[in-house]
Amino acid sequence: MEKKIFITVGTHTQQFDRLIKEIDRIKGEGKINADVFAQTGNCSYAPKNFQYKKFLGDSEYEKMVQNADVIISHAGAGSIINALRNRKPLIIVPRLVEYGEHTNSHQVDLAKAMHERKKAVACMDISKLEQCLKDSWSFRPNIDSDRQKLVAALNSYVGKMK
């Protein structure tokens, strides 16, 4: 059975074309041997090499997470929590202000923190996404930590963004 990759960029109002374009390039070059589906949100780029939908309903999103072998996501708290709750390997590619993907680059800190705690693979350099994907097939997120502390930390982090 072919492995499944689910990409989610959340519902943030700014695009995250950089991530979708890189996955499209890698898939188009035959370097991804998996079924790929993306929730592309407000991206303006339309991938040519995999299926996508701009936004998913809650049940549709949950089904994609549950069926995925690997999730690739921005460093959104909701996406991280859903991947961890479902014990899915997660690659986090933070949105960056210099590419017009967010109002600041706060997602870098969250991605690094999740990587340091072995909860996700942080891809800080988009040119390394192919290698991060290869590494993620055998990655198992550390979910043994105190869940309440993690949720509190993520909620605090989200509160700072408001």
mmCIF file of all heavy atoms in Angstrom, residues 64-104:
data_model
loop_
_atom_site.group_PDB
_atom_site.id
_atom_site.type_symbol
_atom_site.label_atom_id
_atom_site.label_comp_id
_atom_site.label_asym_id
_atom_site.label_seq_id
_atom_site.Cartn_x
_atom_site.Cartn_y
_atom_site.Cartn_z
ATOM 1 N N MET A 64 -8.075 13.108 7.142
ATOM 2 C CA MET A 64 -6.776 13.224 6.474
ATOM 3 C C MET A 64 -5.635 12.995 7.471
ATOM 4 O O MET A 64 -4.680 12.280 7.167
ATOM 5 C CB MET A 64 -6.613 14.597 5.821
ATOM 6 C CG MET A 64 -7.443 14.750 4.588
ATOM 7 S SD MET A 64 -6.958 13.530 3.356
ATOM 8 C CE MET A 64 -7.441 14.321 1.893
ATOM 9 N N VAL A 65 -5.752 13.581 8.651
ATOM 10 C CA VAL A 65 -4.733 13.409 9.685
ATOM 11 C C VAL A 65 -4.644 11.939 10.081
ATOM 12 O O VAL A 65 -3.558 11.358 10.141
ATOM 13 C CB VAL A 65 -5.022 14.304 10.913
ATOM 14 C CG1 VAL A 65 -4.135 13.936 12.096
ATOM 15 C CG2 VAL A 65 -4.853 15.773 10.558
ATOM 16 N N GLN A 66 -5.788 11.333 10.335
ATOM 17 C CA GLN A 66 -5.806 9.929 10.776
ATOM 18 C C GLN A 66 -5.243 8.982 9.729
ATOM 19 O O GLN A 66 -4.600 7.983 10.067
ATOM 20 C CB GLN A 66 -7.233 9.518 11.153
ATOM 21 C CG GLN A 66 -7.713 10.172 12.424
ATOM 22 C CD GLN A 66 -9.190 9.933 12.697
ATOM 23 O OE1 GLN A 66 -9.891 9.323 11.906
ATOM 24 N NE2 GLN A 66 -9.660 10.435 13.826
ATOM 25 N N ASN A 67 -5.470 9.268 8.447
ATOM 26 C CA ASN A 67 -5.025 8.376 7.372
ATOM 27 C C ASN A 67 -3.589 8.630 6.914
ATOM 28 O O ASN A 67 -3.039 7.838 6.160
ATOM 29 C CB ASN A 67 -5.971 8.473 6.174
ATOM 30 C CG ASN A 67 -7.324 7.868 6.474
ATOM 31 O OD1 ASN A 67 -7.458 6.982 7.313
ATOM 32 N ND2 ASN A 67 -8.357 8.370 5.802
ATOM 33 N N ALA A 68 -2.992 9.731 7.357
ATOM 34 C CA ALA A 68 -1.648 10.093 6.911
ATOM 35 C C ALA A 68 -0.581 9.229 7.583
ATOM 36 O O ALA A 68 -0.710 8.856 8.746
ATOM 37 C CB ALA A 68 -1.383 11.566 7.217
ATOM 38 N N ASP A 69 0.453 8.930 6.822
ATOM 39 C CA ASP A 69 1.641 8.288 7.389
ATOM 40 C C ASP A 69 2.608 9.355 7.889
ATOM 41 O O ASP A 69 3.358 9.129 8.829
ATOM 42 C CB ASP A 69 2.321 7.406 6.339
ATOM 43 C CG ASP A 69 1.451 6.214 5.969
ATOM 44 O OD1 ASP A 69 1.150 5.403 6.873
ATOM 45 O OD2 ASP A 69 1.059 6.109 4.800
ATOM 46 N N VAL A 70 2.598 10.511 7.230
ATOM 47 C CA VAL A 70 3.413 11.658 7.613
ATOM 48 C C VAL A 70 2.605 12.914 7.338
ATOM 49 O O VAL A 70 1.882 12.994 6.345
ATOM 50 C CB VAL A 70 4.734 11.714 6.803
ATOM 51 C CG1 VAL A 70 5.465 13.029 7.011
ATOM 52 C CG2 VAL A 70 5.643 10.554 7.165
ATOM 53 N N ILE A 71 2.741 13.902 8.225
ATOM 54 C CA ILE A 71 2.091 15.201 8.047
ATOM 55 C C ILE A 71 3.189 16.244 7.884
ATOM 56 O O ILE A 71 4.187 16.235 8.613
ATOM 57 C CB ILE A 71 1.199 15.540 9.258
ATOM 58 C CG1 ILE A 71 0.068 14.503 9.373
ATOM 59 C CG2 ILE A 71 0.639 16.963 9.134
ATOM 60 C CD1 ILE A 71 -0.730 14.598 10.656
ATOM 61 N N ILE A 72 3.002 17.127 6.920
ATOM 62 C CA ILE A 72 3.885 18.274 6.733
ATOM 63 C C ILE A 72 3.036 19.500 6.997
ATOM 64 O O ILE A 72 1.957 19.650 6.418
ATOM 65 C CB ILE A 72 4.477 18.319 5.308
ATOM 66 C CG1 ILE A 72 5.252 17.035 5.007
ATOM 67 C CG2 ILE A 72 5.368 19.555 5.141
ATOM 68 C CD1 ILE A 72 5.723 16.914 3.566
ATOM 69 N N SER A 73 3.531 20.383 7.864
ATOM 70 C CA SER A 73 2.702 21.493 8.298
ATOM 71 C C SER A 73 3.520 22.744 8.568
ATOM 72 O O SER A 73 4.723 22.684 8.804
ATOM 73 C CB SER A 73 1.979 21.083 9.596
ATOM 74 O OG SER A 73 1.231 22.155 10.116
ATOM 75 N N HIS A 74 2.819 23.868 8.602
ATOM 76 C CA HIS A 74 3.400 25.088 9.147
ATOM 77 C C HIS A 74 3.478 24.886 10.667
ATOM 78 O O HIS A 74 3.022 23.865 11.182
ATOM 79 C CB HIS A 74 2.531 26.294 8.772
ATOM 80 C CG HIS A 74 1.176 26.285 9.417
ATOM 81 N ND1 HIS A 74 0.609 27.403 9.959
ATOM 82 C CD2 HIS A 74 0.279 25.291 9.625
ATOM 83 C CE1 HIS A 74 -0.571 27.104 10.466
ATOM 84 N NE2 HIS A 74 -0.793 25.818 10.268
ATOM 85 N N ALA A 75 4.050 25.832 11.377
ATOM 86 C CA ALA A 75 4.183 25.683 12.836
ATOM 87 C C ALA A 75 2.967 26.276 13.539
ATOM 88 O O ALA A 75 3.081 27.094 14.446
ATOM 89 C CB ALA A 75 5.472 26.332 13.333
ATOM 90 N N GLY A 76 1.792 25.843 13.120
ATOM 91 C CA GLY A 76 0.557 26.269 13.760
ATOM 92 C C GLY A 76 0.232 25.354 14.925
ATOM 93 O O GLY A 76 0.333 24.122 14.802
ATOM 94 N N ALA A 77 -0.145 25.931 16.042
ATOM 95 C CA ALA A 77 -0.410 25.145 17.249
ATOM 96 C C ALA A 77 -1.466 24.066 17.011
ATOM 97 O O ALA A 77 -1.306 22.926 17.453
ATOM 98 C CB ALA A 77 -0.831 26.067 18.386
ATOM 99 N N GLY A 78 -2.532 24.399 16.306
ATOM 100 C CA GLY A 78 -3.594 23.418 16.047
ATOM 101 C C GLY A 78 -3.103 22.240 15.232
ATOM 102 O O GLY A 78 -3.410 21.083 15.529
ATOM 103 N N SER A 79 -2.296 22.512 14.213
ATOM 104 C CA SER A 79 -1.754 21.437 13.376
ATOM 105 C C SER A 79 -0.822 20.544 14.184
ATOM 106 O O SER A 79 -0.852 19.316 14.045
ATOM 107 C CB SER A 79 -0.991 22.031 12.184
ATOM 108 O OG SER A 79 -1.858 22.789 11.375
ATOM 109 N N ILE A 80 -0.013 21.147 15.032
ATOM 110 C CA ILE A 80 0.919 20.379 15.866
ATOM 111 C C ILE A 80 0.153 19.503 16.847
ATOM 112 O O ILE A 80 0.424 18.310 16.985
ATOM 113 C CB ILE A 80 1.892 21.324 16.599
ATOM 114 C CG1 ILE A 80 2.822 22.001 15.594
ATOM 115 C CG2 ILE A 80 2.688 20.561 17.660
ATOM 116 C CD1 ILE A 80 3.637 23.138 16.165
ATOM 117 N N ILE A 81 -0.825 20.083 17.519
ATOM 118 C CA ILE A 81 -1.614 19.323 18.496
ATOM 119 C C ILE A 81 -2.327 18.150 17.824
ATOM 120 O O ILE A 81 -2.342 17.041 18.348
ATOM 121 C CB ILE A 81 -2.612 20.243 19.233
ATOM 122 C CG1 ILE A 81 -1.853 21.172 20.178
ATOM 123 C CG2 ILE A 81 -3.652 19.432 19.994
ATOM 124 C CD1 ILE A 81 -2.698 22.289 20.769
ATOM 125 N N ASN A 82 -2.917 18.376 16.652
ATOM 126 C CA ASN A 82 -3.626 17.296 15.946
ATOM 127 C C ASN A 82 -2.679 16.167 15.548
ATOM 128 O O ASN A 82 -3.025 14.997 15.668
ATOM 129 C CB ASN A 82 -4.357 17.834 14.718
ATOM 130 C CG ASN A 82 -5.680 18.464 15.075
ATOM 131 O OD1 ASN A 82 -6.394 17.960 15.932
ATOM 132 N ND2 ASN A 82 -6.006 19.561 14.422
ATOM 133 N N ALA A 83 -1.495 16.512 15.072
ATOM 134 C CA ALA A 83 -0.529 15.478 14.694
ATOM 135 C C ALA A 83 -0.094 14.676 15.917
ATOM 136 O O ALA A 83 -0.060 13.439 15.879
ATOM 137 C CB ALA A 83 0.686 16.109 14.009
ATOM 138 N N LEU A 84 0.215 15.363 17.017
ATOM 139 C CA LEU A 84 0.641 14.667 18.237
ATOM 140 C C LEU A 84 -0.483 13.812 18.815
ATOM 141 O O LEU A 84 -0.254 12.684 19.239
ATOM 142 C CB LEU A 84 1.129 15.672 19.281
ATOM 143 C CG LEU A 84 2.484 16.319 19.003
ATOM 144 C CD1 LEU A 84 2.767 17.418 20.014
ATOM 145 C CD2 LEU A 84 3.589 15.289 18.995
ATOM 146 N N ARG A 85 -1.685 14.363 18.840
ATOM 147 C CA ARG A 85 -2.823 13.620 19.373
ATOM 148 C C ARG A 85 -3.050 12.318 18.609
ATOM 149 O O ARG A 85 -3.435 11.304 19.184
ATOM 150 C CB ARG A 85 -4.085 14.495 19.310
ATOM 151 C CG ARG A 85 -5.272 13.892 20.066
ATOM 152 C CD ARG A 85 -6.521 14.748 19.990
ATOM 153 N NE ARG A 85 -7.100 14.589 18.670
ATOM 154 C CZ ARG A 85 -7.384 15.583 17.843
ATOM 155 N NH1 ARG A 85 -7.167 16.824 18.188
ATOM 156 N NH2 ARG A 85 -7.902 15.364 16.662
ATOM 157 N N ASN A 86 -2.751 12.351 17.323
ATOM 158 C CA ASN A 86 -2.913 11.163 16.478
ATOM 159 C C ASN A 86 -1.614 10.381 16.310
ATOM 160 O O ASN A 86 -1.567 9.438 15.524
ATOM 161 C CB ASN A 86 -3.470 11.579 15.110
ATOM 162 C CG ASN A 86 -4.937 11.932 15.179
ATOM 163 O OD1 ASN A 86 -5.776 11.045 15.200
ATOM 164 N ND2 ASN A 86 -5.260 13.219 15.249
ATOM 165 N N ARG A 87 -0.577 10.782 17.044
ATOM 166 C CA ARG A 87 0.727 10.081 17.054
ATOM 167 C C ARG A 87 1.328 9.961 15.661
ATOM 168 O O ARG A 87 1.876 8.919 15.275
ATOM 169 C CB ARG A 87 0.592 8.713 17.705
ATOM 170 C CG ARG A 87 0.078 8.788 19.123
ATOM 171 C CD ARG A 87 -0.221 7.422 19.684
ATOM 172 N NE ARG A 87 -0.870 7.532 20.982
ATOM 173 C CZ ARG A 87 -0.266 7.368 22.150
ATOM 174 N NH1 ARG A 87 1.001 7.082 22.197
ATOM 175 N NH2 ARG A 87 -0.941 7.493 23.270
ATOM 176 N N LYS A 88 1.231 11.036 14.892
ATOM 177 C CA LYS A 88 1.730 11.026 13.517
ATOM 178 C C LYS A 88 3.080 11.721 13.419
ATOM 179 O O LYS A 88 3.300 12.769 14.038
ATOM 180 C CB LYS A 88 0.740 11.754 12.581
ATOM 181 C CG LYS A 88 -0.626 11.118 12.514
ATOM 182 C CD LYS A 88 -0.579 9.745 11.893
ATOM 183 C CE LYS A 88 -1.961 9.119 11.812
ATOM 184 N NZ LYS A 88 -1.956 7.876 11.067
ATOM 185 N N PRO A 89 3.989 11.169 12.625
ATOM 186 C CA PRO A 89 5.237 11.880 12.347
ATOM 187 C C PRO A 89 4.897 13.221 11.682
ATOM 188 O O PRO A 89 4.053 13.271 10.777
ATOM 189 C CB PRO A 89 5.976 10.963 11.381
ATOM 190 C CG PRO A 89 5.385 9.611 11.608
ATOM 191 C CD PRO A 89 3.951 9.863 11.985
ATOM 192 N N LEU A 90 5.552 14.267 12.149
ATOM 193 C CA LEU A 90 5.241 15.620 11.683
ATOM 194 C C LEU A 90 6.509 16.337 11.267
ATOM 195 O O LEU A 90 7.487 16.365 12.023
ATOM 196 C CB LEU A 90 4.556 16.395 12.813
ATOM 197 C CG LEU A 90 4.302 17.886 12.594
ATOM 198 C CD1 LEU A 90 3.314 18.117 11.456
ATOM 199 C CD2 LEU A 90 3.790 18.528 13.882
ATOM 200 N N ILE A 91 6.473 16.910 10.078
ATOM 201 C CA ILE A 91 7.536 17.805 9.622
ATOM 202 C C ILE A 91 6.971 19.209 9.716
ATOM 203 O O ILE A 91 5.924 19.506 9.126
ATOM 204 C CB ILE A 91 7.955 17.521 8.167
ATOM 205 C CG1 ILE A 91 8.488 16.094 8.032
ATOM 206 C CG2 ILE A 91 8.989 18.543 7.700
ATOM 207 C CD1 ILE A 91 8.717 15.670 6.596
ATOM 208 N N ILE A 92 7.658 20.072 10.453
ATOM 209 C CA ILE A 92 7.218 21.459 10.592
ATOM 210 C C ILE A 92 8.108 22.352 9.741
ATOM 211 O O ILE A 92 9.330 22.347 9.894
ATOM 212 C CB ILE A 92 7.286 21.933 12.055
ATOM 213 C CG1 ILE A 92 6.381 21.079 12.943
ATOM 214 C CG2 ILE A 92 6.920 23.411 12.150
ATOM 215 C CD1 ILE A 92 6.520 21.393 14.428
ATOM 216 N N VAL A 93 7.488 23.116 8.851
ATOM 217 C CA VAL A 93 8.180 24.128 8.056
ATOM 218 C C VAL A 93 7.596 25.466 8.500
ATOM 219 O O VAL A 93 6.441 25.762 8.193
ATOM 220 C CB VAL A 93 7.965 23.914 6.542
ATOM 221 C CG1 VAL A 93 8.730 24.960 5.743
ATOM 222 C CG2 VAL A 93 8.369 22.506 6.118
ATOM 223 N N PRO A 94 8.360 26.254 9.260
ATOM 224 C CA PRO A 94 7.792 27.504 9.764
ATOM 225 C C PRO A 94 7.560 28.541 8.665
ATOM 226 O O PRO A 94 8.345 28.655 7.723
ATOM 227 C CB PRO A 94 8.840 27.994 10.765
ATOM 228 C CG PRO A 94 10.101 27.298 10.416
ATOM 229 C CD PRO A 94 9.724 26.023 9.717
ATOM 230 N N ARG A 95 6.472 29.266 8.815
ATOM 231 C CA ARG A 95 6.192 30.399 7.941
ATOM 232 C C ARG A 95 7.188 31.510 8.309
ATOM 233 O O ARG A 95 7.482 31.703 9.489
ATOM 234 C CB ARG A 95 4.775 30.928 8.172
ATOM 235 C CG ARG A 95 3.676 30.002 7.691
ATOM 236 C CD ARG A 95 2.318 30.558 8.134
ATOM 237 N NE ARG A 95 1.219 29.811 7.595
ATOM 238 C CZ ARG A 95 0.566 30.119 6.477
ATOM 239 N NH1 ARG A 95 0.940 31.162 5.767
ATOM 240 N NH2 ARG A 95 -0.435 29.373 6.063
ATOM 241 N N LEU A 96 7.653 32.255 7.308
ATOM 242 C CA LEU A 96 8.638 33.308 7.551
ATOM 243 C C LEU A 96 8.148 34.650 7.016
ATOM 244 O O LEU A 96 7.571 34.726 5.931
ATOM 245 C CB LEU A 96 9.976 32.945 6.898
ATOM 246 C CG LEU A 96 10.617 31.627 7.371
ATOM 247 C CD1 LEU A 96 11.854 31.310 6.546
ATOM 248 C CD2 LEU A 96 10.941 31.691 8.858
ATOM 249 N N VAL A 97 8.409 35.688 7.780
ATOM 250 C CA VAL A 97 7.977 37.033 7.411
ATOM 251 C C VAL A 97 8.632 37.494 6.109
ATOM 252 O O VAL A 97 7.995 38.171 5.296
ATOM 253 C CB VAL A 97 8.227 38.045 8.563
ATOM 254 C CG1 VAL A 97 9.708 38.284 8.795
ATOM 255 C CG2 VAL A 97 7.488 39.349 8.313
ATOM 256 N N GLU A 98 9.895 37.110 5.887
ATOM 257 C CA GLU A 98 10.601 37.598 4.692
ATOM 258 C C GLU A 98 10.022 37.086 3.383
ATOM 259 O O GLU A 98 10.319 37.617 2.322
ATOM 260 C CB GLU A 98 12.110 37.311 4.762
ATOM 261 C CG GLU A 98 12.479 35.866 4.924
ATOM 262 C CD GLU A 98 12.773 35.472 6.370
ATOM 263 O OE1 GLU A 98 12.143 36.018 7.303
ATOM 264 O OE2 GLU A 98 13.629 34.604 6.572
ATOM 265 N N TYR A 99 9.161 36.074 3.451
ATOM 266 C CA TYR A 99 8.491 35.568 2.249
ATOM 267 C C TYR A 99 7.014 35.973 2.213
ATOM 268 O O TYR A 99 6.245 35.449 1.411
ATOM 269 C CB TYR A 99 8.603 34.037 2.178
ATOM 270 C CG TYR A 99 10.034 33.563 2.034
ATOM 271 C CD1 TYR A 99 10.703 32.993 3.103
ATOM 272 C CD2 TYR A 99 10.710 33.691 0.824
ATOM 273 C CE1 TYR A 99 12.019 32.560 2.987
ATOM 274 C CE2 TYR A 99 12.019 33.263 0.689
ATOM 275 C CZ TYR A 99 12.666 32.706 1.779
ATOM 276 O OH TYR A 99 13.968 32.278 1.649
ATOM 277 N N GLY A 100 6.613 36.852 3.114
ATOM 278 C CA GLY A 100 5.223 37.307 3.153
ATOM 279 C C GLY A 100 4.267 36.224 3.609
ATOM 280 O O GLY A 100 3.093 36.231 3.240
ATOM 281 N N GLU A 101 4.760 35.289 4.449
ATOM 282 C CA GLU A 101 3.952 34.158 4.898
ATOM 283 C C GLU A 101 3.303 34.399 6.260
ATOM 284 O O GLU A 101 2.408 33.653 6.661
ATOM 285 C CB GLU A 101 4.842 32.915 4.974
ATOM 286 C CG GLU A 101 5.407 32.547 3.624
ATOM 287 C CD GLU A 101 6.604 31.615 3.686
ATOM 288 O OE1 GLU A 101 7.139 31.362 4.787
ATOM 289 O OE2 GLU A 101 7.018 31.135 2.615
ATOM 290 N N HIS A 102 3.777 35.421 6.960
ATOM 291 C CA HIS A 102 3.229 35.755 8.275
ATOM 292 C C HIS A 102 3.653 37.174 8.624
ATOM 293 O O HIS A 102 4.463 37.768 7.921
ATOM 294 C CB HIS A 102 3.715 34.760 9.335
ATOM 295 C CG HIS A 102 2.669 34.454 10.375
ATOM 296 N ND1 HIS A 102 2.107 35.414 11.183
ATOM 297 C CD2 HIS A 102 2.082 33.291 10.725
ATOM 298 C CE1 HIS A 102 1.213 34.852 11.986
ATOM 299 N NE2 HIS A 102 1.173 33.555 11.715
ATOM 300 N N THR A 103 3.126 37.699 9.700
ATOM 301 C CA THR A 103 3.453 39.065 10.121
ATOM 302 C C THR A 103 4.782 39.142 10.863
ATOM 303 O O THR A 103 5.347 40.211 11.031
ATOM 304 C CB THR A 103 2.336 39.639 11.010
ATOM 305 O OG1 THR A 103 2.140 38.735 12.114
ATOM 306 C CG2 THR A 103 1.039 39.779 10.223
ATOM 307 N N ASN A 104 5.266 37.993 11.336
ATOM 308 C CA ASN A 104 6.599 37.884 11.950
ATOM 309 C C ASN A 104 7.038 36.425 11.819
ATOM 310 O O ASN A 104 6.298 35.605 11.304
ATOM 311 C CB ASN A 104 6.598 38.362 13.409
ATOM 312 C CG ASN A 104 5.654 37.567 14.285
ATOM 313 O OD1 ASN A 104 5.594 36.338 14.219
ATOM 314 N ND2 ASN A 104 4.895 38.262 15.118
#
